[in-house]
Every structure is written in structure tokens, then in C-alpha cells.
Amino acid sequence: MRKNLSKLLSLCLMVILMLLAVAACGPAEGSEGSEGNGTDATDTAAPTQTGPGVRTDGKADQVGLILEGAISDMSWNSDAHRGLEKIGALGAEINYTENTGVSEAPDAIRAFAESGYNIIFLSSSSFQDVTKESAKLYPEIMFFVINATADEENVRSVQVQDFEQGFLMGALSALLSETNTVGFVGGFQFEPMIKGGQAFTVGAEYVNPDCKTIVEFTGDNNDVRGAKELAKAMVQQGADCLGTMAGPAALGVVEASEEEGVFSLPPGQNMNSVGPTSAVAPVMKDTSIAYEAVYKMFKAGELPESGFIIMGASKGVVYIGDFYIDIDPEVERQIKEIEASLAAGDIVIDLE
């Protein structure tokens, strides 16, 4: 009997010791994953997206924009600024610098970095080299450069399809022309603008193989007078519709068309203010859409692992805006059909 009682006591003692050991291995009261704070361990897991520009401190994104020109230009810089405002509407803290020269860009980048900005957009390929150098100093910041060719861990290039804008300008110019001669005035002569001029000719010939195109460049996006003089010279050569991709200088082309009584196709909204009877419709390259789309892609972790981020008609960036004046309904129908085909990828623009 005593032996049985002794065995029973020993067994009970072993069970008690085992229970105490199990309890000691469990989470302490109030620790993560316990019932003490009602928080499941998965609720406090680290964000799945990591890398340059990704905030892990719970604060809102701080997004900076560095512009070569002024936000009042009714064109490239104005559109970029509207894109930044769209990003701000998504909850980011935003700020910008305008009229920033390439030599001033490193200081602008440094100012943003020291203020805690985690994403910086630069509006032009002119900033590519200084961005690549600055990016080495700030590996935690994500940089996006418009129309550049950089492709690095924290520097990505957003390539806006300028040539698609030129193509649509050429196509609509040829549809409107009665003289079979149309003109294109470009601004600063660099690759995107050059391709825009080439595509203008391709677009005109797409709808009318016999259409003659005159393509010239001012060499300066701010040379309104020079653009106006080129436009008037084209009219003297028989051009009765003028397309332009020249930044603020495009206003000179629209003014010339109004004075000479020919059509014009401005590259941005509101330029019809200087050509109320001659400006037909804006052929838009709305980069504000591109800025917003790129930011959304970044936030969703959907940026391509490498390569350029392409923004054109298929993304709604390049399109024909509302018509300012009444034109032949058949012309409007045809250009809308061409625009839709371009956006769908059914038209391949060969610039070779």
C-alpha cells in the first residue's frame, strides 16, 4: 500500500513539474502574440516591400520635384507640377524647385535629402548625370528621371513617348491641310524633340503620302520670337497647319498662326488664348498622368525590376484634347480613330 502511495505521489509530482515547464515556454503576459494586447503576430510583421524610397517609419512619403523651367509655362513644367499635386492628393507630402539649372541640381537634391524626402522626381534628362552621382550619396532615396536612360537600383528612367505626340500632330495637320503642306516647330534640339519632328512627318504621310512637311527647331524652348518667325516662314512656303513641340516657345507658333490665318496644334492646354480662331486642339503629352502613374506603381511594388518605365498613348499620357474650334466632323472622326489605334498598339511608328 505504501509502495503504491509512494508511486502515486511520484507520478503526481512529475505531472506538476511537466505542467510548470510547459507554462514557462509560453509567451509572457502582455507580450506580442499573446492575449494580453489582442495583437496577432502577423499584424506587426515588417512590410513586404523594401528598398530605396520605401518608408518603414510609418510616416507619409515625402516627394520632391526638381524642374528646369517654371510651373507657369503651360507645357512641360506645368504638367509636371500638376503631376506632383496629384501625388500630394494621394497622401504624400510634396515640394518642388523650379527654374533649376543642372549645376544647381545637386544642392536641390541635398536640400530634399536633408529634409527627409524619400522620393525625388527630376523633370528632364539634363539631370541624369548629376542624379546618378547624387544617388550614390543617398542610397535610401528613390530617384525618377524623366526621358533619361539611367537604370540603377535607386535611379529609374521614365520615358515619355514624345514621338507619339509628334505622330498625332502630323496626322491631324495633314487631315486639316488644303495645301498639302504642313509645318512643325520644335524647341531645344535633343533626342525626344528630334524624334517628335521625325514622327510628325511619319504621321502626315500616314494619312496623306503626298503631304509635304517642313520641320525646323528654334534651339531654345524659351525663344517665343524665334518660334514665331519660323512659323511665319513656313506659312510663306505654303504650310496651312502648324504643329509645335517647343515648350513655352510654342506660344509664338500659335500667335503666328492667328496672325497668318492658318491652323495650329499647340502642345498644351490654354495656349488657344493667343490663337482663339486658329488653335484647333491641343495634342497633349500630359506628363502629370505619368508622374501619378509611376508613383502608384512604386507604392504598389509594381515597378519593373529593370528597364525603362514607358509612358505614352497606351497609358493615356499622349492624346488629343477637346477641340477648341469646329472642324469637319469627318476629320475629327478620322483622327479619333487614329488616336485609338495608336493607344491600342495597332500603329507602329517607324522612325528609321
Side-chain angles (χ1 to χ4, degrees):
M1 181 72 176
R2 284 180 182 176
K3 286 184 178 181
N4 290 339
L5 183 59
S6 177
K7 289 180 179 180
L8 182 61
L9 288 172
S10 297
L11 182 61
C12 289
L13 181 60
M14 289 176 63
V15 171
I16 291 170
L17 290 172
M18 289 175 65
L19 290 173
L20 288 172
V22 170
C25 293
E29 185 178 355
S31 67
E32 180 178 293
S34 75
E35 293 181 0
N37 61 6
T39 303
D40 187 273
T42 58
D43 291 340
T44 56
T48 56
Q49 187 183 355
T50 60
V54 178
R55 294 217 90 126
T56 58
D57 55 9
K59 296 181 181 179
D61 287 329
Q62 291 175 276
V63 181
L65 170 63
I66 298 175
L67 297 161
E68 265 193 309
I71 64 171
S72 59
D73 69 356
M74 293 190 288
S75 186
W76 185 260
N77 295 285
S78 174
D79 288 346
H81 180 250
R82 287 194 299 110
L84 182 68
E85 290 182 321
K86 290 179 179 181
I87 292 172
L90 296 173
E93 178 185 329
I94 60 173
N95 206 341
Y96 68 94
T97 66
E98 59 182 334
N99 294 315
T100 307
V102 173
S103 63
E104 300 167 315
D107 289 337
I109 291 172
R110 185 181 306 110
F112 279 131
E114 292 177 352
S115 297
Y117 280 70
N118 55 306
I119 300 171
I120 299 176
F121 283 89
L122 296 102
S123 68
S124 166
S125 60
S126 301
F127 294 124
Q128 173 166 290
D129 291 342
V130 295
T131 300
K132 289 170 68 175
E133 289 302 313
S134 294
K136 297 173 185 177
L137 303 175
Y138 307 108
E140 75 282 3
I141 297 176
M142 191 68 200
F143 295 87
F144 294 103
V145 189
I146 309 301
N147 279 349
T149 56
D151 182 17
E152 302 179 14
E153 185 177 4
N154 67 327
V155 183
R156 302 300 298 275
S157 296
V158 182
Q159 293 197 347
V160 179
Q161 304 297 74
D162 299 79
F163 61 90
E164 292 182 346
Q165 182 186 27
F167 177 87
L168 287 178
M169 280 186 178
L172 182 51
S173 292
L175 287 171
L176 290 166
S177 179
E178 295 181 354
T179 64
N180 278 349
T181 302
V182 295
F184 173 91
V185 178
F188 179 67
Q189 201 164 357
F190 70 126
E191 186 175 0
M193 202 79 75
I194 293 170
K195 286 185 175 180
Q198 292 172 337
F200 179 86
T201 296
V202 174
E205 293 177 348
Y206 180 83
V207 299
N208 180 4
D210 297 324
C211 187
K212 176 185 175 182
T213 57
I214 307 168
V215 177
E216 299 283 354
F217 297 85
T218 66
D220 183 349
N221 283 1
N222 295 307
D223 188 1
V224 177
R225 175 181 292 182
K228 187 172 183 177
E229 290 174 353
L230 282 177
K232 289 199 169 194
M234 290 177 182
V235 174
Q236 294 303 312
Q237 297 176 65
D240 61 352
C241 188
L242 305 171
T244 176
M245 293 166 59
L251 287 167
V253 178
V254 181
E255 287 178 352
S257 72
E258 186 74 11
E259 293 174 8
E260 297 293 329
V262 300
F263 291 129
S264 65
L265 302 173
Q269 297 281 11
N270 303 319
M271 287 190 175
N272 62 315
S273 60
V274 296
T277 66
S278 61
V280 177
V283 181
M284 299 291 294
K285 178 178 62 211
D286 188 350
T287 57
S288 74
I289 297 171
Y291 281 87
E292 180 186 27
V294 169
Y295 178 70
K296 285 181 175 180
M297 290 169 66
F298 174 78
K299 290 296 289 181
E302 295 175 351
L303 290 178
E305 292 183 5
S306 61
F308 309 134
I309 305 166
I310 305 299
M311 290 285 159
S314 66
K315 301 292 186 181
V317 173
V318 176
Y319 63 94
I320 297 174
D322 294 336
F323 283 79
Y324 296 131
I325 61 176
D326 293 332
I327 63 169
D328 184 343
E330 179 59 18
V331 169
E332 187 170 347
R333 184 196 67 77
Q334 288 183 62
I335 194 59
K336 288 296 183 183
E337 186 176 281
I338 292 170
E339 178 186 25
S341 296
L342 181 64
D346 297 332
I347 295 177
V348 177
I349 302 171
D350 186 3
L351 301 181
E352 297 300 327

